[in-house]
Amino acid sequence: MYDRIRRNPLKSILPSAMKKPLEVLRLYPEHDYTLNGVLKSRAGRDPARPFIVFSDCNWSWGEFDSAVDAAARVLASRGIRKGDRMAVMARNCDGHVLMLCALARLGAIMVPVNPEFGVEEAKYVLHHAEVSAVAATQDTLEVARKAAAGLKAPAWFVMLDAAAADAPLLKDLLKTAPDVALPSDVCGDDTCLIVYTSGTTGFPKGAMHSQRSFVTGGEAFVQRVYLQNDDRVMVVLPLFHINAMFYSVAGTLAAGACMIIVPKFSASTFWQNAVETGATQVNIIEAIGSILRARARSEFRPEHRISKVYGVRASMDETFKNEFKIAHRIGGYGMTEIPGVTCNPFEGPQKLGSMGPIGRHPDPARPWAQCRVVDDEGRDLPDNEPGELWVKTPIIMQGYFRDPEQTANAFHDGWFKTGDLVKRDGDGYYYFISRKRDIIRRRGENIAAAELDRVVGEHPAVAEAGTIAVPSELGEDEIFVVVAVRKGAKVSAEEIADWCRTRLAPQKVPRFVAFVDELPHTPTHKILKAQLREDKALRARAVDLAPPGR
C-alpha cells in the first residue's frame, strides 16, 4: 500500500518505560495555556528536577520558576507593561528562555534578534517592533546600541553575560528584585513572541504568536517525537528562530523535560557535547545534517545517547541510522507562521522524502490542522497534482506586526497561503516541491530549483548545491547550479551534468555550473540564493555546458 515507507515496529524499538505523549502531559496539573501556567504546572511536580543546562549554569525547575517571578518584577519596575516589546540579541543562552517567560508573565512580548545582524539589519527590527528595552551580550551590545538609536522612546539595556556601562547584569538585578505587584489579567491569547522572518529578499515580517499558540506547539512536539519527561533536549538551532523556540523550548516546557542550550552549532564539537551533556533528543535542519554527514568520523562519539532527531532528510537517513545509530529519525513541515503542520508519525509508517501526513495533538479529541492543495485560482486539486499548500491550524500566527496589508494577503477565507508547492498522495502524505518563487521557467516548463538542489547534493563529491535561474539568450531561464565540493573530493561540471542526466528529465540538466568553497546561508542555514543571483563574478567564471551554437 505504501510506497518507500520506513516501517517503525514500535513494540520492538520503544523501551517498555516509554510513555505515550498524552501520558506525559497528564503527569502534570492542567493549566491555562499561559507560559506562567505551564511553567508552574511542571515546576510544582518536582522542583529539584533539572530544567536548563547552559555552560556552567544549571537551573532546576524550581530555581527557574523563582527566577522568572523575580525577572518579571525587575521588568515591571523598569516600566515594562502588557503589550510592550523587548528585544533579546544574543547567541543561544539561558537568558532567552528567562526573558521569554518573564515577559510573558507580564503579558509583554519578546522579540528575538539574530546576534549576527549588522547595525542596519538590527535597526529595522528594533524600530519596526518599537522595543522598549534590549537584552544583549558583550559581543552584541555595540551593534544593538547603534541600532536602537533614534527610537521614539529610548530603550534601556540589560546584559545577559556581564555588566556594562549603563547596562546592569540581569542576574545581579534578580538578587534585589523589587517587591512589585504582577498582573493577574494575562491570558493565553496574549502575544508573547514576535519572530521576524529571515527572508532572502525584501524586509522581514514579524510573525506574532500568542502564549496559547506557543504552549500548544510544545504539546504537539511531544507528540511528534514522543518527548519524555526525562528527555534531555539539546538546542543547537538559533533561539531567534521558530524551530528552536516552538519545538525545543516549548516541547521541553510541555514535557517537563530538560534542555541543554548550546551557544551555536559546531560540527567539530557536536558529538562531544552530546556525550558530555547526556543529550537524548536534538532538532536539526538539512544543512546541519549534511555537515555532520560530511565530517570526519573521528569526531563521532558512539557512546552518545541521542535516540531521537527531528529534521533528518531522506538523503541522510541511512547515515543517521546506520553510522550514527539513532533509532528515531523524524521529518515534518512547518513555517514561522504555522509551526508543525505535518510530520511523519513516530509510530510509523514513515515515507522517506515526504513531509508526512497532517500532525496531531497528543489528545486525539483536540481538533487539529487542515490542509488543502490548490491551483492558482484556489481550487482544490486531486491527489498527486502539485499545487500551493493552504493551511488552517490551531498553532498559527496572530498576524504580521504592524502590517495589516501583508497579513490580509497571507490569508484567503481563513486559510493561510504558504506559498509552497506540494503534492499529496493517496495515503494523505505530503511532499514538498518548491517555493513558488523558487521556480525556473525553462523551455515552457516549470522546474523546481529545490529538486536540482537535492539531486546535485546527493552526488558523493558534493557537500551542498544551490540552484538559481539566469536569463537565457532565447528567453525564459537557464539553470545555474552552484556547487560546494566536499573536502578532499574532486568533480567536474561535466560530471555534475552527467549525474543529472541519469536522474532527471533533459530540460532539468543544468546549463551552467560553478564551484565554491562554501555556499552563503541565511541565519537559519538556508541557502542565500539572492546573494548567488547578485554575484556577477560567479556567473563569469561558471562553466557553460551548452554554449550557443554548440
Side-chain angles (χ1 to χ4, degrees):
M1 177 180 180
Y2 296 108
D3 177 37
R4 295 181 69 206
I5 289 183
R6 177 175 68 215
R7 294 197 175 275
N8 194 349
L10 189 67
K11 293 182 180 178
S12 64
I13 291 178
L14 297 184
S16 58
M18 183 173 278
K19 305 175 187 67
K20 294 282 190 169
L22 189 56
E23 293 176 323
V24 173
L25 299 188
R26 287 179 172 170
L27 291 172
Y28 311 101
E30 293 186 1
H31 53 81
D32 60 359
Y33 281 86
T34 64
L35 269 73
N36 188 58
V38 72
L39 176 62
K40 293 196 179 303
S41 166
R42 275 52 179 165
R45 182 172 182 265
D46 182 0
R49 287 179 302 125
F51 175 46
I52 292 179
V53 175
F54 172 69
S55 187
D56 58 353
C57 178
N58 295 287
W59 294 93
S60 70
W61 278 88
E63 289 169 339
F64 191 80
D65 183 30
S66 297
V68 167
D69 281 344
R73 295 197 302 273
V74 169
L75 296 175
S77 70
R78 293 289 186 110
I80 297 293
R81 300 290 182 263
K82 188 172 185 177
D84 288 346
R85 280 81 57 197
M86 181 172 183
V88 176
M89 188 171 181
R91 294 192 188 279
N92 286 5
C93 66
D94 51 354
H96 282 86
V97 187
L98 181 58
M99 297 311 299
L100 173 70
C101 292
L103 287 162
R105 179 70 182 86
L106 302 173
I109 304 164
M110 187 175 97
V111 181
V113 181
N114 181 357
E116 303 291 342
F117 272 177
V119 173
E120 290 304 312
E121 294 166 303
K123 181 178 180 179
Y124 178 83
V125 173
L126 298 186
H127 284 249
H128 187 268
E130 293 183 339
V131 299
S132 301
V134 180
T137 49
Q138 294 179 77
D139 59 342
T140 65
L141 181 60
E142 182 179 358
V143 169
R145 282 197 187 280
K146 292 178 180 177
L151 281 166
K152 292 179 181 177
W156 54 269
F157 282 75
V158 65
M159 301 297 292
L160 298 179
D161 57 354
D166 301 321
L169 179 64
L170 176 63
K171 290 180 181 178
D172 287 343
L173 296 178
L174 300 185
K175 299 172 185 176
T176 57
D179 185 14
V180 299
L182 299 178
S184 58
D185 61 343
V186 177
C187 69
D189 294 327
D190 290 333
T191 304
C192 69
L193 196 60
I194 299 177
V195 180
Y196 279 80
T197 58
S198 56
T200 56
T201 60
F203 292 110
K205 302 185 293 289
M208 301 182 292
H209 279 280
S210 70
Q211 299 196 33
R212 185 184 308 279
S213 176
F214 186 85
V215 174
T216 305
E219 292 178 342
F221 191 70
V222 172
Q223 173 69 44
R224 205 168 303 137
V225 300
Y226 270 50
L227 202 63
Q228 303 291 292
N229 58 299
D230 59 356
D231 265 322
R232 295 173 69 84
V233 178
M234 187 163 71
V235 184
V236 298
L237 296 179
L239 284 167
F240 59 82
H241 189 250
I242 204 76
N243 187 311
M245 274 292 177
F246 262 76
Y247 302 165
S248 299
V249 175
T252 300
L253 277 166
C258 174
M259 75 179 85
I260 299 143
I261 299 177
V262 178
K264 186 178 182 180
F265 169 72
S266 167
S268 63
T269 60
F270 178 87
W271 297 109
Q272 180 72 21
N273 281 338
V275 170
E276 291 178 352
T277 60
T280 60
Q281 194 277 330
V282 68
N283 286 6
I284 64 171
I285 57 175
E286 184 174 12
I288 288 178
S290 296
I291 291 168
L292 291 175
R293 181 179 59 178
R295 298 289 295 189
R297 292 300 181 263
S298 59
E299 295 172 351
F300 177 65
R301 297 286 298 275
E303 68 270 33
H304 76 82
R305 294 174 51 204
I306 296 175
S307 63
K308 296 174 283 193
V309 177
Y310 182 80
V312 174
R313 295 295 180 92
S315 61
M316 58 193 72
D317 184 74
E318 287 300 316
T319 298
F320 276 76
K321 175 185 177 182
N322 296 323
E323 294 189 50
F324 299 157
K325 306 298 182 184
I326 294 174
H328 306 287
R329 305 157 312 279
I330 310 297
Y333 170 87
M335 296 174 63
T336 299
E337 297 87 345
I338 46 168
V341 177
T342 69
C343 183
N344 271 287
F346 190 88
E347 299 182 53
Q350 295 183 9
K351 293 195 179 187
L352 288 177
S354 82
M355 298 163 13
I358 296 172
R360 62 187 180 90
H361 189 273
D363 184 348
R366 294 277 292 270
W368 210 241
Q370 304 172 60
C371 292
R372 297 170 61 193
V373 181
V374 303
D375 63 16
D376 289 341
E377 282 70 47
R379 297 173 298 205
D380 290 287
L381 292 168
D383 291 342
N384 299 309
E385 286 288 327
E388 184 179 1
L389 179 65
W390 287 8
V391 175
K392 283 185 179 180
T393 171
I395 314 173
I396 193 166
M397 70 167 184
Q398 298 166 304
Y400 296 118
F401 183 65
R402 294 178 57 199
D403 201 336
E405 182 178 354
Q406 290 278 19
T407 300
N409 290 339
F411 291 88
H412 179 82
D413 289 341
W415 292 89
F416 178 76
K417 301 181 292 184
T418 67
D420 286 339
L421 296 177
V422 306
K423 65 179 181 180
R424 178 189 57 242
D425 69 16
D427 302 318
Y429 284 64
Y430 291 80
Y431 295 80
F432 180 81
I433 298 173
S434 174
R435 290 291 293 167
K436 288 182 74 174
R437 65 187 178 194
D438 201 17
I439 289 293
I440 299 169
R441 183 73 174 176
R442 190 187 197 198
R443 299 173 191 171
E445 295 198 24
N446 291 329
I447 298 168
E451 182 179 20
L452 272 295
D453 295 348
R454 176 180 58 80
V455 171
V456 177
E458 289 171 352
H459 189 288
V462 174
E464 193 175 24
T467 308
I468 59 174
V470 293
S472 169
E473 300 92 336
L474 304 176
E476 294 193 337
D477 301 322
E478 290 288 1
I479 299 173
F480 185 1
V481 178
V482 184
V483 177
V485 180
R486 292 182 185 277
K487 188 175 182 179
K490 292 183 178 180
V491 65
S492 68
E494 288 77 10
E495 287 171 325
I496 294 295
D498 288 341
W499 176 267
C500 293
R501 286 189 186 98
T502 61
R503 291 161 175 80
L504 298 169
Q507 66 268 23
K508 296 181 181 179
V509 176
R511 161 85 180 269
F512 300 98
V513 178
F515 296 97
V516 295
D517 292 333
E518 60 181 5
L519 291 167
H521 292 91
T522 69
T524 52
H525 294 277
K526 296 176 184 177
I527 297 173
L528 192 59
K529 293 194 174 182
Q531 186 170 322
L532 297 180
R533 296 185 187 101
E534 294 167 1
D535 191 342
K536 295 180 180 179
L538 192 64
R539 172 70 183 273
R541 60 185 174 84
V543 176
D544 187 347
L545 295 165
R550 194 175 81 175

